[in-house]
Structures are given as structure tokens and as C-alpha cells.
Amino acid sequence: MMQISRKDKEKIIESIRNGRIDGADISFPNLIDDIIMKMNRKGLIKELTKAFKDKRKKNKHIPMEIILALSIAAKMKIKTSLTDIPYAITDAELLSELGWNIWDTERDIKKGLLEEGTIRNIVKKYEAEELIKAYNKYVQEIVLQKEGIEPNIHILDCTKVEVETSNENYEKSELIKIDGEIKRGYKLGSLRGLLDNSGIIEEIVFGSIKTHDLELCKDLILKSKVLKEGDILINDRGFISREIINKLKKERKVDVYVPAKKNMDIYKQAVEIAKGEGKWHKHPTKSRKEQEIQLIKDVGMFWQSDKPNEDVKINACVVYDKKKKEYFVFLTTDTKKTAKQIIKTYELRPEIEEDYRQIKEFWKLEDFKSTKYNFILFHIVMLLIGYMYFQIYKNTEEGQKYAKKSLPVAIKKYVCKKEKKVIIYRGRYFAIFNFLEFIKLYSSCSEEIQSLLDPILALV
């Protein structure tokens, strides 16, 4: 049976001296547990239930925040199945840090803290839309506020979330043809806020793979709470809309940076003006030696809405690639910026593409073990929270050494500086001992009691 325990060192020492021990474990620290522990000390773990409501009506003896922490840790350890979640945290010190501990009187704690069916029954109680709203609320109303994070540069993008094409059982999945190839799946839209050493996905939307990027993200763009007066929003070509640019600038005082498509009049006119004026400057990025840039002002007249008198002003940075003989045009409503500032700002956009690459390749975003829509969203949301925890950790003093590294690389570089800990259970109590402390306690015990403690030493 599962035994819930609370910390009481004096009772455990007394139990050891009396030769009464029910269970024991060794704590072997690792980077993921360090990150979860750091988030707990920041108060972010206990706040999970403010966004993800505990919808259980019974069997609530295991705190909901612990179940969520286990789910997040599982994603960080690339354990994608629900059956993996109970085994995600077995570090005794971390479990006690979470303010709660559990052990099984019939089996080793390393066999997991709860059954897979417990997780499955919990996930069933959530609608997919609830999970998306819970993620957005947790990030915006808890994490950003608690951490005092207020990004002023945001990147908007979408990525396709693909599943097996031949499997029609994936709920709400649809087929689409891309470059002649049939793909099945969904689409994830996200708004990424820039931090000092990383970025945080502040808001998400989820829908059909058939949905156009702009349609999927329109409400996010116009209503997001994280976009504030004076902020910058960087888009790609999939979000070109004169109407939305006007609204963001006039109603929300948010400046937009977006590349022009080559078939647009504003692209053609900006290039022609740049050719005529010929005021080229070298590209500020050293790796782009073959490119030069030029600021072209007041090109908004070449891209009009249905109400031209209400259109906001737009400037352009024209980029000429001398080697490829090709022009690129980047537009912005931030008319006080130079060509160098415009291009340097837009070059931040690939950061969100790197996010998508990492969460797909390393974090296994598309590795779904269920075809149910709410289970798919549960996997995505827990994974994104884990990804966010890693980004926040990289902005801490102890995490700065991983600032430019992906999680797999960081794990390889991880060097444990903490000593091993020993956790002893007796009845409804447990205690944690430094290893040296445990050895001293062991040496002071009789041979009979030492024989009971020998299996613990054998774990080292």
C-alpha cells in the first residue's frame, strides 16, 4: 500500500536505534531534479493548482501540484507516456522539498509514486480548451508576475504538429497537402517573450493543421494580455495583415516588424526607391558580408487597407544580397528606428524557430501515446511548462552556464556538486540525512541494526 509520510528526524533516529525501519532510499541528484527544486523554491510548483484546478471528487490524498510536478518532470526527462509519470521523480530530497513524500510498503519507491490509471483518470476530467487556458493563465498570471518578468519584445509564429498520416483515430486531426506530400496533424501557435538568456512561450493556441496561421492567432494577437504599450511584435510572412497592424499600433500602441512578400506592391516600390537612392550601408551582422541595407521611409501608401485614411505609417529596411542579386524588404510601424535597428530586431525571430526545433527533436513534442485530443494537449502543455522551467532556470545564477545550450547538452555538461542523501522511512514519518551523518549514525548502532542498514550502503 502507499504510505504518506511527513518529516520528523527525531522520531526516525529513535526508530533506527530501536532497529525499526520500514524503508530506505538514496538520493542521486540530477539536473532535472535541480531545475524542479529551483522552481519549487521560487514558489512556482505550489502555484500550479491556481491554474490547473483539482477536478477530483475523491482519492485526493496525493496533492494535485505533486501530480502536475511529476508530469512536468516526466516531459523534461523525455518520458512521454502516462505510464512514465509515476516514475518521473524518485529523488528523495526533491520529494521532501516538495513538502510531501510517499513510499510503498510493498515495493521499492523507485517503482513510482502512483499508478498510471490515476493519471489517466485525472487527464480525462480536462477538456483540451481548459488545458490551453490553464497554461496561458499559469504563465501570465503566475510565472511572469511572480518572477517579475515583463518582456517587451515578442515573437509570433506557428508550427505544424504532425501525427501518423494513415491513423485516422487522432481526434480532430486533419489532412493537408504540402509540396505534394500529404500530412496529418494539428497546428500550434505561440507568442514568445524574450528574456536575457533565453525566451518564454507566454501564450499558446492550438487548432487544425488546415487553419491559416493568421486565422488561428488573430484573437491572440489582438487580445493577448502580455502585449503592452511600447512593445514590439515580430511576425513572419504568414501574419501579414494591414488591418491587424493598424489595430496593434493605434489601439494597443504595439509596433510590428514583418517581412513583405515579393508579390506585394510595397515590396516592389521599396526596392525601386532603394535602387534609385542608392544609400546602401553594410549589414550589421558579420556573417552577412555579401549583404547591404538601406532605410526607406513612408512606404505605407503602397499597402493600403479598406480605410486608407486610417492606415498607420510604415518604414522599410531593404536588404540587398550582392551575391544572389536578391532583395528582401522588412516592414515596421516603429518609424523612429534606423535600418540597422530594424534588421537587428527582426533577426531575433529565428529564436522561436529554434524553440520549435528543440521541443520537436529533443523534447519529443509529437510523440503522442494517445489519440485522444485532451491527452494530446496534456502532453503538449506539460512539455511546454517543462521547457519554460528550463528557460527560467537558465536565467538564474546557477543556470547561466547553460544559457546557450539545449537540455540534452546541459544534461551532459551537468556536474553534481551536492552530496548524496539518505532517506529513511518509519510508519508515517521520514527523515533525510547527509551521507556522512548517516555513516556516523550507522557506526554508532549495534551489529544487528547495522545489518538492517547495510542494504542502503549497498546502493552507493
Side-chain angles (χ1 to χ4, degrees), residues 38-88:
K38 184 67 177 180
M39 297 305 108
N40 184 59
R41 289 173 179 173
K42 285 175 169 288
L44 298 182
I45 299 295
K46 68 178 181 180
E47 301 284 357
L48 281 164
T49 50
K50 288 188 176 179
F52 297 86
K53 294 181 179 179
D54 189 349
K55 305 184 79 172
R56 297 173 295 174
K57 295 181 179 179
K58 56 182 180 178
N59 298 325
K60 300 176 72 170
H61 59 287
I62 301 176
M64 187 64 186
E65 66 267 22
I66 300 299
I67 294 174
L68 293 170
L70 284 167
S71 303
I72 295 163
K75 305 309 174 187
M76 298 182 76
K77 294 181 179 181
I78 321 300
K79 298 177 182 292
T80 57
S81 172
L82 287 181
T83 59
D84 294 323
I85 290 175
Y87 312 97

Short mmCIF file of all heavy atoms in Angstrom, two decimals, residues 38-88:
data_model
loop_
_atom_site.label_atom_id
_atom_site.label_comp_id
_atom_site.label_asym_id
_atom_site.label_seq_id
_atom_site.Cartn_x
_atom_site.Cartn_y
_atom_site.Cartn_z
N LYS A 38 14.52 24.11 -7.98
CA LYS A 38 14.65 25.57 -8.07
C LYS A 38 13.29 26.21 -8.30
O LYS A 38 12.97 27.25 -7.70
CB LYS A 38 15.60 25.93 -9.22
CG LYS A 38 15.88 27.42 -9.36
CD LYS A 38 16.66 27.95 -8.18
CE LYS A 38 17.02 29.42 -8.36
NZ LYS A 38 17.78 29.94 -7.19
N MET A 39 12.48 25.61 -9.17
CA MET A 39 11.14 26.15 -9.42
C MET A 39 10.28 26.07 -8.17
O MET A 39 9.47 26.96 -7.89
CB MET A 39 10.46 25.39 -10.57
CG MET A 39 11.17 25.50 -11.92
SD MET A 39 11.45 27.19 -12.51
CE MET A 39 13.25 27.32 -12.27
N ASN A 40 10.46 25.00 -7.39
CA ASN A 40 9.70 24.87 -6.15
C ASN A 40 10.10 25.95 -5.16
O ASN A 40 9.25 26.54 -4.48
CB ASN A 40 9.94 23.48 -5.54
CG ASN A 40 9.10 23.25 -4.30
OD1 ASN A 40 7.89 23.32 -4.34
ND2 ASN A 40 9.77 23.01 -3.17
N ARG A 41 11.40 26.21 -5.06
CA ARG A 41 11.87 27.25 -4.14
C ARG A 41 11.44 28.64 -4.57
O ARG A 41 11.36 29.56 -3.75
CB ARG A 41 13.39 27.15 -4.01
CG ARG A 41 13.83 25.90 -3.24
CD ARG A 41 15.32 25.70 -3.25
NE ARG A 41 15.67 24.51 -2.48
CZ ARG A 41 16.90 23.99 -2.42
NH1 ARG A 41 17.89 24.55 -3.10
NH2 ARG A 41 17.14 22.91 -1.70
N LYS A 42 11.16 28.79 -5.86
CA LYS A 42 10.63 30.05 -6.35
C LYS A 42 9.12 30.16 -6.11
O LYS A 42 8.51 31.19 -6.38
CB LYS A 42 10.90 30.18 -7.86
CG LYS A 42 12.34 30.52 -8.21
CD LYS A 42 12.51 30.51 -9.72
CE LYS A 42 13.85 31.10 -10.14
NZ LYS A 42 13.89 32.56 -9.95
N GLY A 43 8.52 29.05 -5.63
CA GLY A 43 7.09 29.06 -5.35
C GLY A 43 6.22 28.75 -6.55
O GLY A 43 5.00 28.93 -6.51
N LEU A 44 6.84 28.27 -7.64
CA LEU A 44 6.08 28.04 -8.87
C LEU A 44 5.34 26.71 -8.89
O LEU A 44 4.32 26.58 -9.56
CB LEU A 44 7.01 28.13 -10.09
CG LEU A 44 7.70 29.48 -10.30
CD1 LEU A 44 8.56 29.45 -11.55
CD2 LEU A 44 6.68 30.61 -10.39
N ILE A 45 5.85 25.72 -8.16
CA ILE A 45 5.19 24.41 -8.17
C ILE A 45 3.85 24.47 -7.43
O ILE A 45 2.82 24.02 -7.94
CB ILE A 45 6.10 23.33 -7.53
CG1 ILE A 45 7.40 23.19 -8.33
CG2 ILE A 45 5.37 21.99 -7.44
CD1 ILE A 45 7.24 22.67 -9.73
N LYS A 46 3.86 25.02 -6.23
CA LYS A 46 2.62 25.06 -5.45
C LYS A 46 1.55 25.93 -6.11
O LYS A 46 0.36 25.77 -5.82
CB LYS A 46 2.90 25.56 -4.04
CG LYS A 46 3.31 27.02 -3.94
CD LYS A 46 3.52 27.43 -2.49
CE LYS A 46 3.91 28.90 -2.38
NZ LYS A 46 4.12 29.30 -0.97
N GLU A 47 1.97 26.84 -7.01
CA GLU A 47 1.01 27.72 -7.68
C GLU A 47 0.37 27.05 -8.89
O GLU A 47 -0.53 27.62 -9.51
CB GLU A 47 1.72 29.01 -8.13
CG GLU A 47 2.35 29.81 -7.00
CD GLU A 47 1.32 30.58 -6.18
OE1 GLU A 47 0.13 30.52 -6.54
OE2 GLU A 47 1.71 31.23 -5.20
N LEU A 48 0.82 25.86 -9.26
CA LEU A 48 0.24 25.17 -10.42
C LEU A 48 -1.27 24.99 -10.29
O LEU A 48 -2.01 25.12 -11.27
CB LEU A 48 0.90 23.80 -10.60
CG LEU A 48 2.29 23.78 -11.27
CD1 LEU A 48 2.98 22.45 -11.02
CD2 LEU A 48 2.15 24.05 -12.77
N THR A 49 -1.72 24.71 -9.08
CA THR A 49 -3.16 24.43 -8.90
C THR A 49 -4.02 25.69 -8.97
O THR A 49 -5.24 25.58 -8.99
CB THR A 49 -3.39 23.72 -7.56
OG1 THR A 49 -2.73 24.43 -6.51
CG2 THR A 49 -2.85 22.30 -7.60
N LYS A 50 -3.40 26.86 -9.02
CA LYS A 50 -4.19 28.08 -9.24
C LYS A 50 -4.65 28.18 -10.69
O LYS A 50 -5.60 28.88 -10.99
CB LYS A 50 -3.37 29.31 -8.85
CG LYS A 50 -3.18 29.46 -7.35
CD LYS A 50 -2.54 30.79 -7.01
CE LYS A 50 -2.44 30.98 -5.49
NZ LYS A 50 -1.81 32.26 -5.12
N ALA A 51 -3.94 27.48 -11.57
CA ALA A 51 -4.32 27.46 -12.99
C ALA A 51 -4.97 26.14 -13.37
O ALA A 51 -5.96 26.10 -14.10
CB ALA A 51 -3.09 27.71 -13.86
N PHE A 52 -4.39 25.04 -12.86
CA PHE A 52 -4.93 23.71 -13.15
C PHE A 52 -5.73 23.24 -11.93
O PHE A 52 -5.18 22.73 -10.96
CB PHE A 52 -3.78 22.72 -13.43
CG PHE A 52 -2.97 23.07 -14.64
CD1 PHE A 52 -1.91 23.95 -14.55
CD2 PHE A 52 -3.28 22.51 -15.87
CE1 PHE A 52 -1.15 24.27 -15.65
CE2 PHE A 52 -2.52 22.83 -16.99
CZ PHE A 52 -1.46 23.72 -16.89
N LYS A 53 -7.02 23.43 -11.98
CA LYS A 53 -7.87 23.10 -10.84
C LYS A 53 -7.91 21.61 -10.60
O LYS A 53 -7.91 20.80 -11.53
CB LYS A 53 -9.29 23.64 -11.08
CG LYS A 53 -9.37 25.16 -11.12
CD LYS A 53 -10.80 25.62 -11.32
CE LYS A 53 -10.88 27.15 -11.34
NZ LYS A 53 -12.27 27.61 -11.56
N ASP A 54 -7.95 21.25 -9.34
CA ASP A 54 -8.06 19.84 -8.97
C ASP A 54 -9.51 19.43 -9.15
O ASP A 54 -10.39 19.80 -8.37
CB ASP A 54 -7.61 19.65 -7.52
CG ASP A 54 -7.51 18.17 -7.15
OD1 ASP A 54 -7.97 17.33 -7.93
OD2 ASP A 54 -6.95 17.87 -6.08
N LYS A 55 -9.80 18.65 -10.18
CA LYS A 55 -11.17 18.28 -10.52
C LYS A 55 -11.58 16.93 -9.94
O LYS A 55 -12.64 16.41 -10.24
CB LYS A 55 -11.34 18.28 -12.04
CG LYS A 55 -10.94 19.62 -12.69
CD LYS A 55 -11.20 19.64 -14.16
CE LYS A 55 -12.65 19.87 -14.46
NZ LYS A 55 -12.93 20.10 -15.89
N ARG A 56 -10.72 16.37 -9.11
CA ARG A 56 -11.05 15.10 -8.47
C ARG A 56 -12.09 15.30 -7.37
O ARG A 56 -12.01 16.27 -6.61
CB ARG A 56 -9.79 14.47 -7.86
CG ARG A 56 -8.71 14.12 -8.88
CD ARG A 56 -7.44 13.67 -8.18
NE ARG A 56 -6.85 14.74 -7.40
CZ ARG A 56 -5.79 14.60 -6.60
NH1 ARG A 56 -5.24 13.41 -6.46
NH2 ARG A 56 -5.31 15.63 -5.92
N LYS A 57 -13.02 14.40 -7.28
CA LYS A 57 -14.03 14.45 -6.22
C LYS A 57 -13.69 13.52 -5.07
O LYS A 57 -14.20 13.67 -3.97
CB LYS A 57 -15.41 14.12 -6.79
CG LYS A 57 -15.90 15.15 -7.80
CD LYS A 57 -17.29 14.80 -8.33
CE LYS A 57 -17.77 15.86 -9.32
NZ LYS A 57 -19.12 15.52 -9.86
N LYS A 58 -12.81 12.56 -5.34
CA LYS A 58 -12.35 11.65 -4.30
C LYS A 58 -10.93 11.23 -4.60
O LYS A 58 -10.34 11.64 -5.61
CB LYS A 58 -13.27 10.43 -4.21
CG LYS A 58 -13.42 9.66 -5.51
CD LYS A 58 -14.39 8.50 -5.33
CE LYS A 58 -14.54 7.72 -6.64
NZ LYS A 58 -15.45 6.56 -6.47
N ASN A 59 -10.34 10.43 -3.71
CA ASN A 59 -8.95 9.98 -3.86
C ASN A 59 -8.00 11.17 -4.04
O ASN A 59 -7.15 11.18 -4.92
CB ASN A 59 -8.82 9.02 -5.05
CG ASN A 59 -9.64 7.77 -4.87
OD1 ASN A 59 -9.79 7.27 -3.75
ND2 ASN A 59 -10.19 7.25 -5.95
N LYS A 60 -8.18 12.17 -3.18
CA LYS A 60 -7.38 13.39 -3.29
C LYS A 60 -6.25 13.42 -2.27
O LYS A 60 -5.73 14.47 -1.94
CB LYS A 60 -8.29 14.61 -3.10
CG LYS A 60 -9.40 14.70 -4.14
CD LYS A 60 -10.36 15.85 -3.89
CE LYS A 60 -9.72 17.18 -4.18
NZ LYS A 60 -10.70 18.28 -4.16
N HIS A 61 -5.82 12.24 -1.79
CA HIS A 61 -4.79 12.22 -0.77
C HIS A 61 -3.42 12.63 -1.32
O HIS A 61 -2.56 13.07 -0.58
CB HIS A 61 -4.69 10.84 -0.11
CG HIS A 61 -4.39 9.74 -1.06
ND1 HIS A 61 -5.31 9.27 -1.96
CD2 HIS A 61 -3.25 9.02 -1.26
CE1 HIS A 61 -4.77 8.29 -2.67
NE2 HIS A 61 -3.52 8.12 -2.27
N ILE A 62 -3.21 12.46 -2.64
CA ILE A 62 -1.98 12.93 -3.26
C ILE A 62 -2.22 14.35 -3.79
O ILE A 62 -3.09 14.55 -4.64
CB ILE A 62 -1.55 12.02 -4.42
CG1 ILE A 62 -1.34 10.60 -3.92
CG2 ILE A 62 -0.27 12.54 -5.07
CD1 ILE A 62 -1.01 9.60 -5.00
N PRO A 63 -1.51 15.35 -3.30
CA PRO A 63 -1.74 16.74 -3.72
C PRO A 63 -1.63 16.91 -5.24
O PRO A 63 -0.74 16.33 -5.87
CB PRO A 63 -0.63 17.51 -3.00
CG PRO A 63 -0.31 16.67 -1.81
CD PRO A 63 -0.46 15.26 -2.27
N MET A 64 -2.51 17.71 -5.81
CA MET A 64 -2.56 17.89 -7.25
C MET A 64 -1.26 18.49 -7.78
O MET A 64 -0.80 18.13 -8.88
CB MET A 64 -3.74 18.79 -7.62
CG MET A 64 -3.98 18.92 -9.11
SD MET A 64 -4.43 17.35 -9.86
CE MET A 64 -4.47 17.80 -11.60
N GLU A 65 -0.65 19.39 -7.03
CA GLU A 65 0.58 20.01 -7.52
C GLU A 65 1.72 18.99 -7.66
O GLU A 65 2.61 19.14 -8.50
CB GLU A 65 1.02 21.19 -6.64
CG GLU A 65 1.44 20.83 -5.23
CD GLU A 65 0.28 20.93 -4.25
OE1 GLU A 65 -0.89 20.88 -4.70
OE2 GLU A 65 0.56 21.09 -3.05
N ILE A 66 1.67 17.93 -6.83
CA ILE A 66 2.68 16.88 -6.93
C ILE A 66 2.48 16.07 -8.21
O ILE A 66 3.43 15.74 -8.92
CB ILE A 66 2.64 15.95 -5.70
CG1 ILE A 66 2.90 16.74 -4.42
CG2 ILE A 66 3.66 14.82 -5.84
CD1 ILE A 66 4.24 17.43 -4.37
N ILE A 67 1.22 15.78 -8.53
CA ILE A 67 0.92 15.04 -9.75
C ILE A 67 1.35 15.85 -10.97
O ILE A 67 1.94 15.31 -11.92
CB ILE A 67 -0.57 14.69 -9.81
CG1 ILE A 67 -0.92 13.71 -8.69
CG2 ILE A 67 -0.94 14.11 -11.18
CD1 ILE A 67 -2.39 13.42 -8.56
N LEU A 68 1.09 17.15 -10.95
CA LEU A 68 1.50 18.02 -12.07
C LEU A 68 3.01 18.12 -12.15
O LEU A 68 3.59 18.09 -13.25
CB LEU A 68 0.87 19.40 -11.90
CG LEU A 68 -0.65 19.45 -12.05
CD1 LEU A 68 -1.19 20.80 -11.62
CD2 LEU A 68 -1.08 19.15 -13.49
N ALA A 69 3.67 18.23 -10.99
CA ALA A 69 5.14 18.29 -10.98
C ALA A 69 5.74 17.01 -11.54
O ALA A 69 6.72 17.04 -12.30
CB ALA A 69 5.65 18.53 -9.55
N LEU A 70 5.14 15.86 -11.19
CA LEU A 70 5.59 14.59 -11.75
C LEU A 70 5.42 14.58 -13.27
O LEU A 70 6.30 14.12 -14.01
CB LEU A 70 4.78 13.44 -11.15
CG LEU A 70 5.12 12.99 -9.72
CD1 LEU A 70 4.03 12.08 -9.20
CD2 LEU A 70 6.46 12.27 -9.71
N SER A 71 4.29 15.09 -13.75
CA SER A 71 4.01 15.11 -15.19
C SER A 71 5.01 15.99 -15.93
O SER A 71 5.49 15.63 -17.01
CB SER A 71 2.58 15.60 -15.44
OG SER A 71 1.64 14.80 -14.76
N ILE A 72 5.32 17.15 -15.35
CA ILE A 72 6.28 18.07 -15.97
C ILE A 72 7.67 17.46 -15.97
O ILE A 72 8.39 17.51 -16.98
CB ILE A 72 6.27 19.42 -15.23
CG1 ILE A 72 4.90 20.10 -15.40
CG2 ILE A 72 7.38 20.33 -15.74
CD1 ILE A 72 4.64 21.21 -14.40
N ALA A 73 8.07 16.89 -14.84
CA ALA A 73 9.39 16.26 -14.75
C ALA A 73 9.52 15.12 -15.75
O ALA A 73 10.59 14.92 -16.34
CB ALA A 73 9.64 15.76 -13.33
N ALA A 74 8.45 14.38 -15.97
CA ALA A 74 8.48 13.28 -16.94
C ALA A 74 8.80 13.80 -18.33
O ALA A 74 9.59 13.20 -19.07
CB ALA A 74 7.14 12.54 -16.93
N LYS A 75 8.18 14.93 -18.72
CA LYS A 75 8.46 15.50 -20.04
C LYS A 75 9.89 15.98 -20.13
O LYS A 75 10.54 15.85 -21.17
CB LYS A 75 7.49 16.65 -20.33
CG LYS A 75 6.02 16.29 -20.23
CD LYS A 75 5.66 15.06 -21.02
CE LYS A 75 4.22 14.64 -20.78
NZ LYS A 75 3.88 13.35 -21.40
N MET A 76 10.41 16.55 -19.05
CA MET A 76 11.79 17.04 -19.05
C MET A 76 12.78 15.88 -19.14
O MET A 76 13.90 16.05 -19.64
CB MET A 76 12.05 17.87 -17.80
CG MET A 76 11.18 19.10 -17.69
SD MET A 76 11.53 20.11 -16.23
CE MET A 76 13.06 20.91 -16.77
N LYS A 77 12.37 14.72 -18.67
CA LYS A 77 13.23 13.53 -18.75
C LYS A 77 12.90 12.69 -19.97
O LYS A 77 13.31 11.54 -20.08
CB LYS A 77 13.09 12.71 -17.47
CG LYS A 77 13.63 13.45 -16.25
CD LYS A 77 13.51 12.63 -14.96
CE LYS A 77 14.10 13.41 -13.78
NZ LYS A 77 14.03 12.66 -12.51
N ILE A 78 12.17 13.29 -20.92
CA ILE A 78 11.80 12.66 -22.19
C ILE A 78 11.06 11.35 -21.96
O ILE A 78 11.27 10.35 -22.64
CB ILE A 78 13.04 12.44 -23.12
CG1 ILE A 78 14.00 13.63 -23.02
CG2 ILE A 78 12.58 12.29 -24.57
CD1 ILE A 78 13.42 14.96 -23.42
N LYS A 79 10.19 11.35 -20.97
CA LYS A 79 9.31 10.22 -20.71
C LYS A 79 7.92 10.64 -21.18
O LYS A 79 7.25 11.41 -20.52
CB LYS A 79 9.31 9.86 -19.22
CG LYS A 79 10.68 9.42 -18.70
CD LYS A 79 10.62 9.16 -17.21
CE LYS A 79 11.97 8.76 -16.65
NZ LYS A 79 12.43 7.46 -17.14
N THR A 80 7.51 10.15 -22.35
CA THR A 80 6.31 10.70 -22.99
C THR A 80 5.02 9.96 -22.67
O THR A 80 3.94 10.45 -22.95
CB THR A 80 6.51 10.69 -24.53
OG1 THR A 80 6.79 9.35 -24.96
CG2 THR A 80 7.67 11.59 -24.93
N SER A 81 5.12 8.78 -22.10
CA SER A 81 3.92 8.00 -21.81
C SER A 81 3.35 8.33 -20.43
O SER A 81 4.09 8.71 -19.52
CB SER A 81 4.26 6.51 -21.87
OG SER A 81 3.17 5.73 -21.43
N LEU A 82 2.04 8.17 -20.30
CA LEU A 82 1.42 8.35 -18.98
C LEU A 82 1.98 7.35 -17.98
O LEU A 82 2.06 7.63 -16.78
CB LEU A 82 -0.10 8.18 -19.08
CG LEU A 82 -0.91 9.29 -19.76
CD1 LEU A 82 -2.39 8.94 -19.71
CD2 LEU A 82 -0.66 10.63 -19.11
N THR A 83 2.38 6.18 -18.48
CA THR A 83 2.92 5.16 -17.58
C THR A 83 4.26 5.59 -16.99
O THR A 83 4.71 5.04 -15.99
CB THR A 83 3.10 3.83 -18.32
OG1 THR A 83 3.99 4.02 -19.43
CG2 THR A 83 1.78 3.30 -18.83
N ASP A 84 4.91 6.58 -17.61
CA ASP A 84 6.21 7.05 -17.12
C ASP A 84 6.07 8.07 -15.98
O ASP A 84 7.01 8.27 -15.21
CB ASP A 84 7.01 7.71 -18.25
CG ASP A 84 7.42 6.73 -19.33
OD1 ASP A 84 7.73 5.59 -18.97
OD2 ASP A 84 7.43 7.10 -20.51
N ILE A 85 4.92 8.73 -15.92
CA ILE A 85 4.76 9.85 -14.99
C ILE A 85 4.99 9.46 -13.53
O ILE A 85 5.69 10.18 -12.81
CB ILE A 85 3.39 10.53 -15.20
CG1 ILE A 85 3.39 11.27 -16.54
CG2 ILE A 85 3.07 11.51 -14.06
CD1 ILE A 85 2.06 11.87 -16.93
N PRO A 86 4.46 8.33 -13.05
CA PRO A 86 4.69 7.98 -11.64
C PRO A 86 6.16 7.78 -11.29
O PRO A 86 6.53 7.84 -10.13
CB PRO A 86 3.90 6.67 -11.47
CG PRO A 86 2.86 6.72 -12.53
CD PRO A 86 3.52 7.39 -13.69
N TYR A 87 6.99 7.55 -12.32
CA TYR A 87 8.41 7.27 -12.08
C TYR A 87 9.31 8.47 -12.33
O TYR A 87 10.53 8.36 -12.29
CB TYR A 87 8.86 6.11 -12.98
CG TYR A 87 7.94 4.92 -12.94
CD1 TYR A 87 6.97 4.74 -13.92
CD2 TYR A 87 8.02 4.01 -11.90
CE1 TYR A 87 6.10 3.66 -13.87
CE2 TYR A 87 7.15 2.92 -11.85
CZ TYR A 87 6.20 2.76 -12.83
OH TYR A 87 5.34 1.68 -12.78
N ALA A 88 8.71 9.62 -12.61
CA ALA A 88 9.50 10.77 -13.04
C ALA A 88 10.39 11.34 -11.95
O ALA A 88 11.48 11.82 -12.22
CB ALA A 88 8.57 11.87 -13.58
#
